[in-house]
Amino acid sequence: MRLTKLIYSTLFFITATSLGLKAQDTKTTEKKTDEKAVTEEIEVVRPYKPILAEAVKLRRSPDLNDIKTYKAKFNYSLTDRKLELNSDINKLQAQEVVAEKQEELINNYIKGGFGSAKTIFGEAYINLGRDEAMQAGGYFQHFSQSGKLNKQQSSQQKLSVFGRSIGDVVTLSGRVNFQRNGLYFYGIDKNNPTLNPDPEKQTLNFFEAEGELVNKYTEDPDALSYALKLNGYIWSDKFNAKENSVVLNGYVNKRISKFNLGLAASTEFGSTKDELVSVGNNLLKLNPYIRLQASGVKITAGINFVQEFGAFSSSRIFPAVTADFTLIPDYLQIFGEVKGDVNRSSLKQFSDENPFLNNNITIRNSIEKLSISGGIKGTGGPGFGYKARVYHKSIEDMPLFVNNFSNFNKFDVIYDFGTMKLIGIEGELSVQVSDALKWTGKLNFEDYKPAAETQSWFKPQMRLSSDLSYVINKKVTLNASVTLQDDSKAKIYTAAPANPYYTPDPANETVVTVKGFVDLGAGVSYKINNKFSAFARANNLLNSSYSRYLHYEVIGLNVFGGISYSF
């Protein structure tokens, strides 16, 4: 029975498997046994891999009520430490950057040139170091020319050494100057051209030293400011005329809110000596003042006390009042001034104006009794500035030049004894269209009313000067200038004047007109590279034979040029 069940079960399994999977091959063999049993031999072709449906894989539903959480165990190690509260902003540490390469400093130069009229020109300027607080340097210039007239020669040399130190409290500066002018009294009277066959030579020497101390500016409204300046010079000529001067200037100023209280003072010691003249004219000046400086208003009121001592002795008090009102900031200001002063006369001052001086010049101070002026100034926008003023002066003992009776080509100095009246108009204009174009001009109209003299000798009524600079490109720059002067009057003696001279004698005088002139000049410079430049200059382009002083014609058209080296 068991055997029968086994046989049937085996046959059913084989049949089902062969029909459903057909994955196996079966071989039936018969073995003889005692029980006559039938067996099958199964050959496995590949492993059996049952495939289950998706629904059969999930044996049971998940338990959604399982809310157990995992709690990890930690071990703590506590350290006893103080809590620090620091809410300050930490200071940033500047990071060092790579050192910037310094730009090559070119502030020194040497110039040299020559041209027509035997022109020789040389100039040099040296400034030491980059430190703006400590400056030192020197300057030298030589210029000489010769004209077509007999001994129409002149040469000039200038030498200057300077220094400045800017400290935390004060600024110290000083300079030493030397100047030499060599010339001849080449004046020619065209009516008598043989009167001066062998012109005399003149040499003017000037040596000057100056030192200055100024306190540094501070924003403190109650600050005390002060300055001190000492200047001295020695002047001499070839004919044994000598002059020396020492001038000490100083001021102290105290600011109190909008007011300034101050005192300016100066002492001038001067001595002039010649063969027949020895004069010591000294001045002491005191100028106490009070100044109001508020928004748009600046008014200074004070007095000018002047004491003359030495060859002259007198005491005078003059007003010293200035006012400045700003109507439109930077565009329009109105200013005015009322003052008086004593002007010290000197051979240095006269020779700078007219180098053809005679010997034994009379020295006398002139008194500016009252000077009133007022005008406007300001700007009309970037690069445009202007100033115009009207003035009236009353001057006592005004110095004037006249030709000497014996030596027509030398000039004496006389004084218009009494009070001379002067009314003038002055205008200045500056226009800078761009960095390439700049123009400046100045115009003066003056009307003199002499006290004792018939004319104000060699004082023209109109003078004009103008300069123009135009940069074409980085290499070429043009410049031009014009000087215009109206006619002036000169006095010729027909007989020897009184000595000493006090009042004119019209019967012994002849008035001569010195014609006005126009002098045009032009120049050009060419920058070859950063080191070398070339320049050229032409003077008196109209080739006019005009005279600033009677009998002294200037050199005509002259052109010169040269090379400049910067380092």
Side-chain angles (χ1 to χ4, degrees), residues 179-233:
Q179 181 174 324
R180 178 188 178 276
N181 291 344
L183 52 94
Y184 287 87
F185 292 98
Y186 67 90
I188 295 295
D189 185 355
K190 292 184 177 181
N191 297 324
N192 298 286
T194 61
L195 288 180
N196 189 22
D198 187 19
E200 291 181 285
K201 186 177 181 180
Q202 173 68 290
T203 303
L204 306 176
N205 296 308
F206 173 70
F207 178 81
E208 178 187 34
E210 181 178 280
E212 185 178 27
L213 181 150
V214 181
N215 75 307
K216 195 172 182 180
Y217 178 79
T218 175
E219 296 289 345
D220 183 5
D222 299 327
L224 178 68
S225 58
Y226 53 89
L228 189 64
K229 182 178 180 180
L230 179 64
N231 176 281
Y233 73 79

Side-chain angles (χ1 to χ4, degrees), residues 371-392:
S371 174
I372 303 174
S373 64
I376 59 174
K377 62 181 178 179
T379 61
F384 180 83
Y386 65 92
K387 180 181 179 181
R389 73 183 184 108
V390 179
Y391 52 91
H392 178 276

Side-chain angles (χ1 to χ4, degrees), residues 247-308:
V247 181
L248 179 62
N249 293 308
Y251 85 88
V252 60
N253 184 89
K254 175 67 175 178
R255 283 186 303 198
I256 304 175
S257 185
K258 297 180 180 180
F259 291 91
N260 288 263
L261 300 177
L263 173 65
S266 68
T267 303
E268 302 179 30
F269 298 94
S271 175
T272 302
K273 293 183 179 181
D274 208 335
E275 293 180 354
L276 303 177
V277 175
S278 179
V279 178
N281 58 333
N282 310 315
L283 296 176
L284 172 64
K285 298 182 181 182
L286 299 175
N287 173 217
Y289 63 86
I290 180 172
R291 178 182 300 144
L292 169 64
Q293 188 166 354
S295 178
V297 177
K298 184 177 179 181
I299 300 175
T300 303
I303 63 170
N304 184 20
F305 171 78
V306 182
Q307 175 66 52
E308 293 182 89

Side-chain angles (χ1 to χ4, degrees), residues 161-172:
V161 179
F162 60 87
R164 171 175 290 183
S165 175
I166 303 176
D168 297 333
V169 180
V170 298
T171 298
L172 297 174

Side-chain angles (χ1 to χ4, degrees), residues 315-468:
S315 300
R316 292 181 173 88
I317 297 178
F318 304 98
V321 179
T322 61
D324 195 322
F325 302 95
T326 301
L327 300 183
I328 304 176
D330 298 330
Y331 288 94
L332 179 61
Q333 290 178 298
I334 298 178
F335 64 91
E337 183 179 50
V338 178
K339 69 174 185 177
D341 203 355
V342 176
N343 299 316
R344 180 176 169 271
S345 298
S346 66
L347 292 179
K348 172 64 171 60
Q349 171 193 344
F350 294 147
S351 63
D352 286 345
E353 187 175 351
N354 183 353
F356 306 105
L357 285 180
N358 195 11
N359 305 334
N360 301 308
I361 296 298
T362 302
I363 298 297
R364 187 180 184 89
N365 297 332
S366 64
I367 297 93
E368 192 171 327
K369 299 175 67 174
L370 186 63
S371 174
I372 303 174
S373 64
I376 59 174
K377 62 181 178 179
T379 61
F384 180 83
Y386 65 92
K387 180 181 179 181
R389 73 183 184 108
V390 179
Y391 52 91
H392 178 276
K393 297 182 180 181
S394 299
I395 303 176
E396 183 179 316
D397 298 340
M398 180 176 177
L400 299 168
F401 294 108
V402 293
N403 293 78
N404 183 264
F405 174 71
S406 301
N407 299 305
F408 70 97
N409 56 354
K410 294 184 179 181
F411 292 86
D412 292 326
V413 176
I414 63 172
Y415 297 87
D416 188 7
F417 294 107
T419 301
M420 184 273 300
K421 304 291 185 181
L422 169 62
I423 298 176
I425 300 175
E426 180 183 74
E428 297 181 34
L429 196 64
S430 175
V431 179
Q432 186 168 355
V433 179
S434 63
D435 292 338
L437 180 61
K438 184 177 181 180
W439 174 72
T440 59
K442 184 176 181 179
L443 177 64
N444 287 85
F445 286 101
E446 293 181 325
D447 181 26
Y448 293 88
K449 296 186 182 302
E453 298 292 326
T454 56
Q455 299 285 339
S456 293
W457 313 116
F458 296 109
K459 298 293 184 182
Q461 288 191 336
M462 190 269 289
R463 290 170 293 155
L464 182 145
S465 61
S466 178
D467 293 283
L468 175 69

